[in-house]
Amino acid sequence: MKPRKIRDRIYWMGSVDWDRRLFDSLIPLPDGTSYNAYLIEGSEKTVLVDTVDPPMAEELLSQLQGVPKIDYVISHHAEQDHSGTIPQVLEKYPGAKLITTPKAKGMLIDLLRIPEECFITVKDAETVSLGDKTLKFIHTPWVHWPETMVTYLEEDRILFSCDFFGSHIATTDLYVTDEGRVYEAAKRYYAEIMMPFRKVIEKNLEKLASYDIEMIAPSHGPIYPRPSFIIDAYRNWILGPPLNTVVLPYVSMHESTRRMVDYFVSALVERGVRVEQFNLAVTDIGKLAMALVDAATIVIGTPTILGGPHPYAAYGAFLANALRPKAKFLSIIGSYGWGGKTVNVLAGMIPNLKVEVIEPVLAKGLPSENDLKALENLAETIATKHKKHGME
Ligand code: FEO
């Protein structure tokens, strides 16, 4: 795609990756993604804001064909989907300086072997003049790596935010046109990579609150012409109270756990509790991550195999532990054939979760009447605890 004008002497560049379906060999991208770079031409200096994933380098370099001079390249974040083409850009513009945080400098040297003399490091709130336009660099660490920053273009009141506020969507829309669609994609992205760092991200939001932002230009997905939409969404994901919802990641081998899950879900619904159910054998883990953003309770469903939880259930527990959602309660349900340490193994896998563990329900083989009664009791306990915490 050719560069697209956003404002006078400000252009979108980069690449829309329609076909990508997996990020980090882990995260599903059902709607593809984009790697947005931006070109800002001041009256004296020209800057390129971030670059693109290396497989898309040629597209960015062709967009830069008509650009005779670049004085600065900003690297907001050292991850290669934004930084990976910096070496080629610096090769094309040997006089350009690379502006980063001090921490990013070390990481870019490690990851891309960029020579030390190319760098200018900036302090938090430092400014760089392009002549009639001024860049202000705001350190916003842990989005989702420690070195991250954003740039505020003062005269145009545009915030270039890189991963922060981004969404994995491949689209020809330069700006957000369907807020519902972008909300879901941005929530998924927040859940997958930023949720574990939400306390720091909350501070980053506070830091941005004093800026008059007319537009947010992230490095994934469309530009926000109404920044309050995504800023309010982030506030809600971070600070909103947990909801009257149970997230139920489960796996079943011979239908016993499945029967328990079905019965349990019905018991919860009868008591007014919402359930988001995920069969870990087939689920999109991005959807599971998204459900974990708001849910008050996590219940893991698993059969016992090789003396412990099914590996998919262990994966679900590992993921929940790593994402550190704001859930308050956790339990386990499932079946076993003759014994095992399923509960102990799973309980040992979630040290990061600040949850109250509610008595699990394990059935020997197919669930008996007593087991079903125990599931009713578990549903009742959860519904009562949710009500006690004001969740209706
Ligand atoms: Fe889009 Fe953390 O890179």
Side-chain angles (χ1 to χ4, degrees):
M1 207 180 294
K2 290 182 180 167
R4 301 176 76 183
K5 187 171 177 176
I6 299 172
R7 290 265 177 89
D8 184 33
R9 293 175 286 129
I10 305 173
Y11 301 89
W12 172 91
M13 289 192 176
S15 190
V16 179
D17 196 341
W18 297 91
D19 299 334
R20 191 161 182 180
R21 287 293 171 272
L22 205 58
F23 200 89
D24 292 344
S25 301
L26 175 69
I27 297 169
L29 300 178
D31 298 316
T33 190
S34 66
Y35 319 104
N36 306 332
Y38 299 93
L39 187 79
I40 307 168
E41 295 173 333
S43 56
E44 292 170 19
K45 307 276 188 191
T46 297
V47 62
L48 180 68
V49 179
D50 290 319
T51 65
V52 295
D53 207 30
M56 301 302 188
E58 211 173 293
E59 189 170 1
L60 178 64
L61 292 171
S62 84
Q63 292 163 346
L64 289 169
Q65 260 171 13
V67 180
K69 169 184 82 120
I70 285 189
D71 300 282
Y72 304 117
V73 179
I74 297 172
S75 178
H76 286 126
H77 174 28
E79 194 167 12
Q80 291 88 333
D81 52 328
H82 310 293
S83 69
T85 304
I86 289 173
Q88 283 155 278
V89 172
L90 293 180
E91 198 179 316
K92 182 173 166 65
Y93 300 98
K97 290 289 179 194
L98 183 55
I99 298 178
T100 66
T101 61
K103 199 175 261 302
K105 175 182 169 182
M107 294 171 79
L108 288 165
I109 290 172
D110 290 342
L111 295 172
L112 299 169
R113 304 290 174 225
I114 294 174
E116 185 152 10
E117 59 271 19
C118 294
F119 288 88
I120 296 175
T121 58
V122 284
K123 296 192 191 77
D124 187 23
E126 194 170 331
T127 57
V128 166
S129 174
L130 305 179
D132 61 348
K133 293 185 189 287
T134 313
L135 305 167
K136 184 162 186 175
F137 304 102
I138 307 164
H139 289 200
T140 50
W142 290 107
V143 182
H144 52 125
W145 285 13
E147 83 295 4
T148 46
M149 69 170 182
V150 298
T151 300
Y152 181 64
L153 183 58
E154 290 184 343
E155 292 75 9
D156 295 274
R157 299 200 288 274
I158 299 176
L159 184 76
F160 296 92
S161 64
C162 201
D163 276 352
F164 204 6
F165 307 121
S167 62
H168 284 308
I169 297 180
T171 173
T172 55
D173 293 345
L174 187 54
Y175 300 99
V176 174
T177 52
D178 178 347
E179 288 190 344
R181 182 177 180 217
V182 176
Y183 180 94
E184 172 140 344
K187 184 174 186 182
R188 174 190 274 263
Y189 196 38
Y190 162 82
E192 290 164 342
I193 65 166
M194 292 174 226
M195 181 158 61
F197 312 109
R198 65 181 177 280
K199 294 280 176 217
V200 191
I201 292 178
E202 182 186 341
K203 290 203 175 79
N204 293 337
L205 285 177
E206 282 166 18
K207 209 182 230 189
L208 295 178
S210 60
Y211 289 86
D212 178 13
I213 301 170
E214 248 180 40
M215 193 185 280
I216 294 179
S219 291
H220 296 292
I223 294 168
Y224 298 90
R226 197 172 75 84
S228 60
F229 151 64
I230 192 66
I231 291 171
D232 289 350
Y234 264 69
R235 281 212 185 97
N236 183 254
W237 300 331
I238 291 169
L239 297 168
L243 303 180
N244 181 23
T245 299
V246 169
V247 172
L248 180 39
Y250 78 97
V251 58
S252 188
M253 290 161 61
H254 299 290
E255 290 299 302
S256 300
T257 300
R258 173 66 188 233
R259 284 193 199 187
M260 295 177 76
V261 165
D262 288 348
Y263 191 89
F264 180 55
V265 168
S266 181
L268 285 165
V269 170
E270 277 170 21
R271 289 162 176 81
V273 179
R274 260 188 91 245
V275 183
E276 298 223 38
Q277 178 180 328
F278 298 93
N279 181 344
L280 291 162
V282 296
T283 200
D284 167 344
I285 59 160
K287 281 194 178 281
L288 172 58
M290 229 188 315
L292 288 169
V293 170
D294 305 311
T297 299
I298 303 166
V299 177
I300 300 171
T302 182
T304 291
I305 177 171
L306 300 172
H310 190 287
Y312 286 164
Y315 178 49
F318 178 87
L319 192 70
N321 185 61
L323 294 178
R324 302 171 186 237
K326 56 177 113 150
K328 290 187 169 302
F329 309 103
L330 183 139
S331 192
I332 298 161
I333 64 173
S335 79
Y336 63 97
W338 51 92
K341 295 186 174 167
T342 292
V343 169
N344 291 352
V345 172
L346 283 178
M349 291 183 69
I350 51 166
N352 293 341
L353 299 184
K354 306 286 177 249
V355 289
E356 176 189 336
V357 177
I358 304 173
E359 183 67 24
V361 178
L362 289 194
K364 191 169 186 198
L366 283 172
S368 65
E369 281 305 313
N370 280 346
D371 297 323
L372 297 180
K373 183 72 194 142
L375 289 171
E376 292 271 357
N377 290 343
L378 178 58
E380 184 65 29
T381 302
I382 290 169
T384 304
K385 285 184 183 293
H386 284 196
K387 276 198 187 94
K388 208 171 140 196
H389 282 79
M391 302 167 217
E392 299 280 351

